[in-house]
Structure formats: structure tokens, C-alpha cells
Amino acid sequence: MTTGVARPERAGAPTPLDRATILSTAVALVDAHGLAALNMRALARELGVGTMSLYHHVPNKDALLDGIVEVLNEEIEIPDLESGSWDERARRMARSLRAVALAHPNCVPLLVTRPFSTAAALRPCEAAFQVLEEAGLGPDRAIVTLRTFVAYVLGFVMMESAGFLSGVGPDRDPEELLELGLPHLAVIASHLADRDINADFDAGLHLVELGLLSWLASGARPAGG
């Protein structure tokens, strides 16, 4: 059965089966049909190979899921150390993480539930901690800061993808909201039309940065640190 997932080009000689091809096809399958559709048999069918041939490259489904995390992390831009100040590079990485998550919304749950188990998957974390070290953060603060930035980005993407507040949009009658006893949402509804979601993301990111800068200036230690 054809699922509509893009398969590797097979013009001429068949494309050799390798780990990279398997993982890219797995990402495409999840993008198209969700995580529930991913299993070894479905993946083999997309690749046009026997199921057992996959196990030479990915030993089990856990390795496959971890490989998808690796593919997504490899798509995150890691700015060159000479390309602007630390805060500019931090913003670029945050925006890149959002772009990757928006390109693969069905894969986002894996980014928060699967371990980063390979060097390739860990490189964005290494780059982020290098940026935070340049900002003057020690290990304790860097851990809290990175978790906060990632939580903001992925949380924003999940709400964005789910259409958060779409039920209180400009098509919703403010009078109806008032009758429901929701006066603040009645006011907000008129402000949701034609919003620039990228500007909203950057505004939230700026709030996170302001909190970080205030924290640095205060000299306070993280709770429990």
C-alpha cells in the first residue's frame, strides 16, 4: 500500500540501504502519518526492502526513534563562533529549533521523551552550553537556562501547531464570550486577527532573555544550586 511518503531515488541501480536513508525515510513517514504509523514493517515497505534488512542498520525500534532525534538535532543551525555576539547566536539557535520543530511537528514528542544518545544528537547541546559559557554562566545556571529556552521554544511550537487560542479568534462573537462570563477573552478576541506569529515568538524569546540578563545581574544562584 502506498502511503505517499517520499522514497529514496531508485533510478538505475538501487540505492544502497544505509542508516542515513533509513532514518530520513522514518522521519518522512512520521511527518506524513504520525508516530503511531511508524514500525519496522511499514518502514521496510516504504524503502521497498525486507523488514529483516533494516536490523543490520538499526537494531530495534528504540534505536530508530533515537535516530530520528539525531536527524532533527542535525537540522538545527549551529552558528559559527565568529558570527555575532553570544545572545545573537542564542537567538539564531532558538529560531532554528523552532523551524525544525515546525517542519516536523509529529516528531516533536521525541525531542522531549527520548535520550540524546549519539554525538551527532548532542552537538546542538554542546554548542548551546558553549554560548552560555561565553555569556558568563557556570554549569548550574547554564543547565537551568538551556532547559528554560528549550521549554519556551518547544512549548510555543506545540501551542502554535495546535492552534492555541484559535477558539477565541476574530470569528468568535465577543458578545457570546461575554454571555459565557469571559470578559477578558472577549477583549482578547479582537486582538488575535492577523497576528504576526514570528513577531510574537521573538517577543517571548526577548522576555526569556531579559529574565536571564536580570538573573545574571542579580548574582543570585539557581534554587538548589
Side-chain angles (χ1 to χ4, degrees), residues 78-79 81 86 89 124-136 142:
I78 299 179
L81 288 176
W86 71 265
R89 294 200 300 280
C125 291
E126 171 70 15
F129 282 125
Q130 186 170 1
V131 167
L132 296 176
E133 181 183 46
E134 183 181 336

Side-chain angles (χ1 to χ4, degrees), residues 63-207:
L64 183 62
L65 295 176
D66 292 344
I68 291 176
V69 171
E70 177 182 317
V71 170
L72 267 58
N73 279 338
E74 287 183 314
E75 292 184 14
I76 298 171
E77 177 192 5
I78 299 179
D80 186 88
L81 288 176
E82 306 302 321
S83 60
S85 61
W86 71 265
D87 52 321
E88 291 171 336
R89 294 200 300 280
R91 284 192 294 273
R92 285 172 61 184
M93 289 188 69
R95 290 173 184 142
S96 180
L97 173 58
R98 174 176 172 242
V100 170
L102 284 174
H104 308 286
N106 289 336
C107 296
V108 167
L110 295 178
L111 291 175
V112 295
T113 60
R114 301 297 305 179
F116 292 7
S117 58
T118 68
L122 286 166
R123 284 194 184 98
C125 291
E126 171 70 15
F129 282 125
Q130 186 170 1
V131 167
L132 296 176
E133 181 183 46
E134 183 181 336
L137 277 71
D140 290 339
R141 287 186 174 187
I143 291 169
V144 173
T145 299
L146 181 59
R147 284 175 172 166
T148 301
F149 269 94
V150 172
Y152 168 70
V153 175
L154 294 184
F156 190 98
V157 168
M158 291 176 70
M159 290 189 294
E160 182 179 5
S161 299
F164 182 64
L165 290 181
S166 60
V168 196
D171 295 332
R172 191 69 178 261
D173 184 0
E175 293 299 324
E176 178 189 358
L177 293 170
L178 287 173
E179 290 174 2
L180 293 171
L182 304 171
H184 293 89
L185 287 178
V187 173
I188 290 297
S190 64
H191 291 266
L192 289 174
D194 302 320
R195 291 203 65 80
D196 184 338
I197 195 70
N198 295 320
D200 282 353
F201 174 80
D202 282 345
L205 189 60
H206 183 55
L207 288 176

Side-chain angles (χ1 to χ4, degrees), residues 36-57:
L38 179 65
N39 56 63
M40 290 299 204
R41 182 175 298 177
L43 183 56
R45 185 166 57 243
E46 290 300 326
L47 289 161
V49 300
T51 303
M52 295 306 297
S53 64
L54 299 181
Y55 291 98
H56 295 293
H57 306 279

